[in-house]
Amino acid sequence: MENAPESPEPQEPKIYLLPNLMTAGNLFCGFFAVLQVFRGMVDADTQYAHYNTAILLILGACIFDLLDGRLARLGGQDSPFGREFDSIADIISFGVAPALLLYDIVLRGLPEQSGGSLPQGVGWFIACIYLLCGAMRLARFNCLAAQPGKPATSDFVGLPIPMAAGTIASLTLCMLWIDEGNKEIGAWKYALPPLMILLSFMMMSKVKYPSFKGVSWRTKRSMTWVFAAALILVLAVLFYQVVPALLFVAYLLYGVIRPWLSRRWRKEIEEVLEPEDDPNDVGI
């Protein structure tokens, strides 16, 4: 009896250095953000300093997440390994870290603050819903990206989890700045649980958000657009407590009002480079 032919050895995935290095930076930021939240839980005297650091690390992870995709598309180095690695990093940086942060700042004390009108465990339930929706959003993205053929559109289906995490982190940072010197965030913090529920819904929704993947080194814009972009960048650095929150909230709202905008306005905002002119636009 002849031996059955051996199955071929599985081929090692392609691992490109620069994009995956950015993803590693994303993961490191998320991990250290989680550590800062835990330190804030056990050290009441420096609690909000740890929370402030955790928020900045989450925002730093957003920058790394932006860079890894840009570098991959710039070099035509989009790969299944990079896509999966990015999702693993995202669930830590933009799922676990923001959920833990908000749980300790506001969600854990909701039953007591409500005078007993809310059941015990409602805080961790809201945090868990956010984390679950974020994980499912990433899984759906990977499934769509793995489908054969080039997608008809580069839009994101549902709010991307980095934008959801950035919205939570930047608004919390803004609240910490407003109540600087106090031992806890003021009454504004009670807007965060409904916001977390809203973001969970938006991640799972079919609302389409622009990916701006057409932005590259070949993108051409008028001097007015270049000046406006440079001004926003400078303001975001100088007033990092407020401007990032405005930008993240603007992106969140843009997806909702986008279908009612005229085609001319949408083209002016989004179509910075015609798709056929971009040879590096691969993936979703």
Side-chain angles (χ1 to χ4, degrees), residues 68-208:
D68 69 4
R70 296 295 170 189
L71 287 174
R73 284 188 294 276
L74 185 64
Q77 297 172 342
D78 184 65
S79 68
F81 176 87
R83 187 165 57 242
E84 299 300 328
F85 186 26
D86 184 66
S87 292
I88 293 171
D90 285 356
I91 198 60
I92 301 297
S93 301
F94 309 130
V96 175
L100 282 176
L101 178 69
L102 252 66
Y103 175 76
D104 198 51
I105 289 179
V106 59
L107 296 176
R108 183 168 60 175
L110 276 181
E112 292 76 13
Q113 296 293 334
S114 66
S117 60
L118 293 175
Q120 293 293 329
V122 65
W124 68 259
F125 180 75
I126 293 175
C128 186
I129 287 295
Y130 170 83
L131 182 59
L132 177 63
C133 290
M136 294 179 68
R137 166 69 179 76
L138 289 169
R140 181 175 67 180
F141 173 84
N142 286 348
C143 290
L144 291 174
Q147 291 180 1
K150 188 169 181 176
T153 176
S154 62
D155 290 343
F156 292 123
V157 180
L159 181 68
I161 189 173
M163 304 306 292
T167 303
I168 290 174
S170 60
L171 285 175
T172 306
L173 179 65
C174 186
M175 293 177 189
L176 286 171
W177 174 70
I178 291 172
D179 291 284
E180 188 175 7
N182 296 335
K183 291 186 177 180
E184 61 178 20
I185 303 177
W188 285 102
K189 68 181 181 181
Y190 295 111
L192 293 175
L195 174 65
M196 187 171 251
I197 295 173
L198 173 64
L199 292 173
S200 302
F201 170 77
M202 293 304 294
M203 284 191 290
M204 294 299 297
S205 72
K206 295 295 183 68
V207 176
K208 292 185 178 181

Side-chain angles (χ1 to χ4, degrees), residues 27-99:
L27 182 59
F28 290 154
C29 284
F31 174 69
F32 286 117
V34 171
L35 288 183
Q36 289 297 319
V37 174
F38 282 137
R39 289 179 180 176
M41 290 180 178
V42 300
D43 190 355
D45 294 333
T46 60
Q47 186 178 55
Y48 283 90
H50 289 302
Y51 291 158
N52 194 75
T53 303
I55 290 168
L56 293 179
L57 285 167
I58 293 172
L59 294 177
C62 290
I63 296 175
F64 277 114
D65 185 70
L66 175 67
L67 290 175
D68 69 4
R70 296 295 170 189
L71 287 174
R73 284 188 294 276
L74 185 64
Q77 297 172 342
D78 184 65
S79 68
F81 176 87
R83 187 165 57 242
E84 299 300 328
F85 186 26
D86 184 66
S87 292
I88 293 171
D90 285 356
I91 198 60
I92 301 297
S93 301
F94 309 130
V96 175

Side-chain angles (χ1 to χ4, degrees), residues 263-274:
R263 182 174 296 181
R264 183 178 66 86
W265 272 99
R266 287 176 58 178
K267 182 176 181 179
E268 185 72 15
I269 294 171
E270 301 171 25
E271 295 183 14
V272 293
L273 182 67
E274 293 299 325

